[in-house]
Amino acid sequence: SIVAPFLLGAALALWLYPVLSTRTVPFTEFALFMGVAMSVTAFPVLARILTDHQMHKSRIGAIALACAAAGDVTAWCLLAFVVSVAKARPGQALLTVALTAGFMALIFFLVQPAIRWLAQRQPPGSQTTPDAIVIVCAALLLAALATERIGIHALFGAFLIGVVVPHDSVLADDVRKKLEDSVALFLLPVFFAFTGLRTQIALVHGLRDWLICILIIAVASAGKFGGSFVAARATGSDWRQAASLGVLMNTRGLMELIVLNIGLDLGVISPTLFTMLVLMAVVTTVGTTPILQAVSSRTDTESLKQ
């Protein structure tokens, strides 16, 4: 579910580069970004779909969540590499990669033990102190600043802090509760509105552009579905379970939009290609639920839950 769409995206870049890009963007960066854009699966949206279908505790649901989690981490690592290459000045790509590796070592070997110690100070059933919340938020902002100064996106620093906070701790639960409402009710709608303002549907005009858009959707769907289906069949799943997994892994949602906005900010993709990829993200995400219902009948869905 990662390799197949990545390779198909990179192969599609061979045709899209002379059509929708310019010589100011190196082909290597363009091809790598297209591979990453095709490889993303939206873990939160996938989890919600599985919960709505009561499949989150099933074998196929557990496999889908595990694949999406591994795929997201891999995609973020690949995106960090692409961003570091795109933002590095000539001759400094290796320095950016070295600084990134050093920063990750700092996070996992120094910051993670400190945050774990902070989390262990909060006994079960207690409430996290304001000081602890401030420390986590300060660490988040400092990590974001560090990765931005290194030459990769600020997003990755914040992501790493989220990774090292123990997920089953009182600290993580309280931070999530205190921030979730403001993020979900204010920041997330603002982000979607911002993405919508940058999506210029008028740029996709004429038969050629719409055919390219349809081709992008087809390649993205085929890569995710085909890679997941073949792997699932090779590891013992029947064809309906394998098809369900392929459909579920095609969910892109918010994660894809974040990747696309980063690509547009860096100038790796043009506004026209950005619009086409946004349409691809919307179509593949919206189509997941009805296609999943079509793949598995009522009886089949019950068997998937077992």
Side-chain angles (χ1 to χ4, degrees):
S1 66
I2 301 169
V3 176
F6 186 91
L7 293 178
L8 285 177
L12 183 62
L14 289 169
W15 181 61
L16 292 179
Y17 181 73
V19 179
L20 294 173
S21 188
T22 63
R23 294 183 180 274
T24 59
V25 179
F27 173 74
T28 302
E29 296 175 13
F30 183 80
L32 287 172
F33 184 84
M34 286 298 300
V36 172
M38 296 292 181
S39 304
V40 174
T41 295
F43 184 88
V45 179
L46 175 62
R48 180 59 183 268
I49 292 174
L50 289 172
T51 302
D52 290 344
H53 285 77
Q54 299 181 353
M55 294 171 60
H56 56 291
K57 294 183 179 180
S58 67
R59 175 177 177 271
I60 199 68
I63 293 174
L65 288 173
C67 290
D72 268 6
V73 173
T74 305
W76 289 126
C77 292
L78 291 171
L79 183 61
F81 175 74
V82 174
V83 172
S84 64
V85 171
K87 296 184 71 172
R89 292 188 291 272
Q92 290 193 344
L94 290 178
L95 176 62
T96 301
V97 172
L99 289 174
T100 302
F103 176 77
M104 293 179 66
L106 177 69
I107 291 293
F108 286 108
F109 290 106
L110 291 181
V111 177
Q112 185 176 27
I115 291 182
R116 186 182 295 119
W117 173 81
L118 183 66
Q120 290 173 349
R121 292 186 60 192
Q122 314 298 322
S126 65
Q127 188 173 7
T128 304
T129 62
D131 291 346
I133 301 292
V134 171
I135 290 172
V136 172
C137 292
L140 184 152
L141 294 174
L142 289 172
L145 175 63
T147 52
E148 186 70 26
R149 293 297 298 271
I150 285 172
I152 57 178
H153 203 275
L155 172 75
F156 300 106
F159 173 76
L160 286 175
I161 294 298
V163 168
V164 299
V165 175
H167 289 250
D168 56 349
S169 64
V170 175
L171 176 62
D173 189 52
D174 285 348
V175 170
R176 188 183 303 112
K177 288 178 180 177
K178 290 180 183 300
L179 298 181
E180 190 171 27
D181 287 343
S182 60
V183 170
L185 298 178
F186 178 69
L187 296 180
L188 195 59
V190 170
F191 174 77
F192 277 107
F194 175 70
T195 303
L197 290 172
R198 305 180 88 180
T199 304
Q200 305 176 53
I201 302 295
L203 293 177
V204 185
H205 58 85
L207 180 61
R208 190 200 68 166
D209 286 354
W210 283 108
L211 288 176
I212 292 175
C213 188
I214 292 172
L215 178 63
I216 290 173
I217 295 172
V219 171
S221 301
K224 273 291 184 183
F225 180 87
S228 304
F229 182 87
V230 171
R233 289 290 291 155
T235 52
S237 298
D238 61 46
W239 76 270
R240 285 192 182 275
Q241 290 180 333
S244 297
L245 181 63
V247 172
L248 288 168
M249 294 302 292
N250 234 339
T251 306
R252 286 178 171 84
L254 176 63
M255 300 303 179
E256 180 75 8
L257 298 183
I258 294 173
V259 171
L260 297 181
N261 275 283
I262 292 174
L264 185 61
D265 289 338
L266 293 174
V268 177
I269 57 175
S270 65
T272 302
L273 183 55
F274 173 82
T275 299
M276 292 178 177
L277 291 172
V278 168
L279 291 174
M280 177 270 291
V282 172
V283 169
T284 54
T285 303
V286 171
T288 298
T289 297
I291 296 175
L292 181 63
Q293 292 173 341
V295 167
S296 55
S297 64
R298 192 172 190 178
T299 302
D300 298 319
T301 302
E302 292 299 324
S303 67
L304 287 174
K305 296 176 187 176
Q306 298 175 358

